[in-house]
């Protein structure tokens, strides 16, 4: 079943964090009404919704009632009940689908599936006990990355193992399982937002070069030089997973790029992604606009980068420094999500700089004392 939604139709968004909020704002400028569902009564997205429901992501009856009151469903957060969403898909209109969600919710399943469809990844194996970990490390060597299979994001549930003594800090319980990944000596990290319409047309957003600190995205640079070969490999992998995963909407795909130009998929996020925030100011269509167009059954837009852009995340520990952002970069577009308490390591907003001036964004990122101090605060946990 496919349908085209006209302005005035109601889009239901499961999850009301900052991604849901920006999806809602994109939809509203197109004339759609927004209903949002989230367990947090203070969710930042509720402030821009026409209607909202406070309910647990595992509450089948509440989610079913919510789904019946909207014209189309979408989700902005993958740590929800995928099996329940798959059930809702049978009774409600969810063109975004549950396939990619279910794949991405388990890292072992995700890596296995990516390899099956021809997308290269780091070497990996399942780990469910200290004995498994010892055997895997004997094969992989140090360093290696141990990650929980479920519910890890922004560096949570991840352990960098550099030597045997690091194993002592890994908790094992009866219901915890891990994936061990070989450490990748990458030259840089990159990501691409891939969008796909209901009729199967695919459009790519410009590739960003990304920097992470403490497992959290610090910066994304769009419009930086990337070789044609690397772009082709990234696009091929993103196209493969978008088609095999039956994507409708946008999906973020993160990559490691090695010195020889080899490309490995690190993670997928089957919804708008932090590294695509820059598109709000820098492209002719944002990732949020494109997602709404796709799930509404409308034509997605060929993407153009209008200005090169640098996006910097704002964490809780940065909020007191906002006046300095305004002072150093009066041209910056600053987004504050209104998420309440400014906790350390919590994403509270972002700001975007466009390449309107003689100084290259790469130089600003590398040389700005202000940004160096901003980056250092990611380590203040």
């Amino acid at each position: 079943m496919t349908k085209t939604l006209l302005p005035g139709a109601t889009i239901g968004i499961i999850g009301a964090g900052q991604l849901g909020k920006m999806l809602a704002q994109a939809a509203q400028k197109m004339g759609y009404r927004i209903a949002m569902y989230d367990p947090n009564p203070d969710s930042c997205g509720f402030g821009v919704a026409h209607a909202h429901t406070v309910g647990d992501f595992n509450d089948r009856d509440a989610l079913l009632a919510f789904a019946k009151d909207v014209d189309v469903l979408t989700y902005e957060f993958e740590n929800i009940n995928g099996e329940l969403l798959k059930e809702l898909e049978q009774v409600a209109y969810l063109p975004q689908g549950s396939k990619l969600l279910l794949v991405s919710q388990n890292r072992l399943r995700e890596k296995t599936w990516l390899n099956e469809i021809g997308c290269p990844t780091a070497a990996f194996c399942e780990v469910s006990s200290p004995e498994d970990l010892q055997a895997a490390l004997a094969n992989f060597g140090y360093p290696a990355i141990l990650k929980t299979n479920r519910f890890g994001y922004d560096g949570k549930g991840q352990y960098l193992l550099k030597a045997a003594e690091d194993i002592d800090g890994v908790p094992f319980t009866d219901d915890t399982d891990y994936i061990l990944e070989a450490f990748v000596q990458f030259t840089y990290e990159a990501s691409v937002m891939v969008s796909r319409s209901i009729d199967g047309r695919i459009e790519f957003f410009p590739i960003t070069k990304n920097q992470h600190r403490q497992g959290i995205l610090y910066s994304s640079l769009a419009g930086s030089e990337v070789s044609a070969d690397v772009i082709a490999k990234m696009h091929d992998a993103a196209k493969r997973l978008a088609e095999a995963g039956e994507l409708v909407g946008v999906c973020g795909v993160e990559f490691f790029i090695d010195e020889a130009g080899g490309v490995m998929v690190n993670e997928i996020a089957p919804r708008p992604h932090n590294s695509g925030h820059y598109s709000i100011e820098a492209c002719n269509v944002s990732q949020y606009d494109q997602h709404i167009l796709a799930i509404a059954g409308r034509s997605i837009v060929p993407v153009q980068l209008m200005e090169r852009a640098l996006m910097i995340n704002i964490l809780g520990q940065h909020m007191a420094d906002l006046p300095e952002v305004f002072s150093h970069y009066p041209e910056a577009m600053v987004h504050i999500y209104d998420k309440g308490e400014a906790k350390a390591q919590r994403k509270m907003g972002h700001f975007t700089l466009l390449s309107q001036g003689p100084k290259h964004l790469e130089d600003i990122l590398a040389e700005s004392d202000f940004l160096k101090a901003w980056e250092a605060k990611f380590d203040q946990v």
Side-chain angles (χ1 to χ4, degrees):
M1 174 182 67
T2 62
K3 53 185 175 182
T4 301
L5 300 182
L6 299 177
T10 298
I11 296 173
I13 304 175
I14 301 175
Q18 65 264 26
L19 300 179
K21 181 177 184 177
M22 288 182 271
L23 278 173
Q25 291 168 327
Q28 286 172 341
K29 73 182 180 185
M30 300 180 198
Y32 295 110
R33 297 182 61 80
I34 294 296
M36 304 187 89
Y37 182 104
D38 198 282
N40 179 6
D42 298 318
S43 293
C44 65
F46 285 170
V48 300
H50 295 90
H52 70 265
T53 299
V54 177
D56 194 277
F57 288 138
N58 294 306
D59 189 330
R60 180 184 180 277
D61 292 338
L63 271 171
L64 186 61
F66 176 78
K68 288 181 176 178
D69 280 343
V70 301
D71 297 299
V72 63
L73 274 179
T74 188
Y75 51 85
E76 58 99 46
F77 181 59
E78 59 263 40
N79 286 340
I80 58 180
N81 190 322
E83 292 298 334
L84 180 52
L85 200 68
K86 187 176 181 180
E87 182 181 347
L88 284 178
E89 194 177 1
Q90 307 306 311
V91 297
Y93 186 47
L94 181 67
Q96 187 179 5
S98 60
K99 186 171 182 178
L100 274 178
L101 176 76
L102 289 166
V103 165
S104 67
Q105 283 187 326
N106 182 290
R107 287 191 170 102
L108 182 66
R109 185 188 305 139
E110 178 184 76
K111 290 287 195 300
T112 302
W113 179 77
L114 286 168
N115 286 178
E116 288 173 350
I117 65 171
C119 295
T121 67
F124 64 92
C125 68
E126 184 176 12
V127 170
S128 56
S129 69
E131 293 74 24
D132 287 348
L133 181 55
Q134 293 279 8
L137 286 168
N139 182 37
F140 283 10
Y142 294 97
I145 307 287
L146 188 70
K147 301 177 181 179
T148 55
N149 267 327
R150 294 289 309 272
F151 303 119
Y153 62 96
D154 286 346
K156 297 177 177 67
Q158 299 187 22
Y159 304 87
L160 174 59
L161 306 179
K162 297 181 180 179
E165 54 264 28
D166 294 331
I167 298 174
D168 297 336
V170 178
F172 281 95
T173 64
D174 291 341
D175 58 354
T176 301
D177 60 337
Y178 295 95
I179 180 174
L180 185 73
E181 299 179 9
F183 189 80
V184 177
Q185 296 287 354
F186 57 84
T187 302
Y188 61 92
E189 298 174 90
S191 62
V192 66
M193 299 302 303
V194 56
S195 56
R196 184 171 178 268
S197 63
I198 285 179
D199 62 5
R201 198 169 114 238
I202 287 177
E203 294 287 343
F204 300 103
F205 282 81
I207 287 167
T208 61
K209 289 185 175 179
N210 306 322
Q211 295 182 19
H212 288 80
R213 298 292 179 265
Q214 298 293 330
I216 302 174
L217 184 67
Y218 156 56
S219 69
S220 288
L221 182 62
S224 184
E225 185 174 344
V226 178
S227 75
D229 181 59
V230 167
I231 292 173
K233 290 174 182 176
M234 290 177 65
H235 282 182
D236 177 69
K239 183 174 185 289
R240 283 174 184 266
L241 68 88
E243 291 178 341
E246 300 169 8
L247 171 69
V248 173
V250 299
C251 177
V253 191
E254 295 183 298
F255 295 86
F256 295 134
I257 316 299
D258 66 25
E259 188 175 5
V263 169
M264 283 178 280
V265 178
N266 179 32
E267 290 184 347
I268 64 174
R271 37 74 177 170
H273 190 256
N274 194 171
S275 67
H277 288 341
Y278 76 91
S279 62
I280 298 172
E281 286 85 24
C283 295
N284 61 317
V285 58
S286 78
Q287 62 169 340
Y288 304 99
D289 299 329
Q290 196 83 309
H291 186 83
I292 295 299
L293 290 171
I295 66 166
R298 294 168 57 182
S299 296
I300 59 175
V301 177
V303 182
Q304 298 178 41
L305 183 67
M306 311 303 288
E307 292 280 356
R308 296 171 69 249
L310 172 64
M311 189 283 302
I312 303 290
N313 265 327
I314 301 171
L315 305 185
Q317 60 265 38
H318 295 122
M319 290 297 285
D321 299 325
L322 281 181
E324 295 186 52
V325 175
F326 303 147
S327 174
H328 278 80
Y329 304 115
E331 75 280 15
M333 295 300 298
V334 181
H335 297 250
I336 301 300
Y337 305 145
D338 191 25
K339 291 172 69 173
E341 184 181 356
K343 297 178 182 178
Q345 304 302 90
R346 187 184 194 190
K347 291 174 182 172
M348 303 300 294
H350 71 271
F351 63 92
T352 302
L353 300 171
L354 301 179
S355 59
Q356 296 177 344
K359 197 167 182 64
H360 292 302
L361 294 174
E362 289 92 343
D363 296 334
I364 292 174
L365 185 60
E367 300 170 5
S368 166
D369 289 338
F370 176 76
L371 288 185
K372 288 178 183 177
W374 193 274
E375 178 184 0
K377 285 201 170 186
F378 276 73
D379 296 324
Q380 296 178 5
V381 293

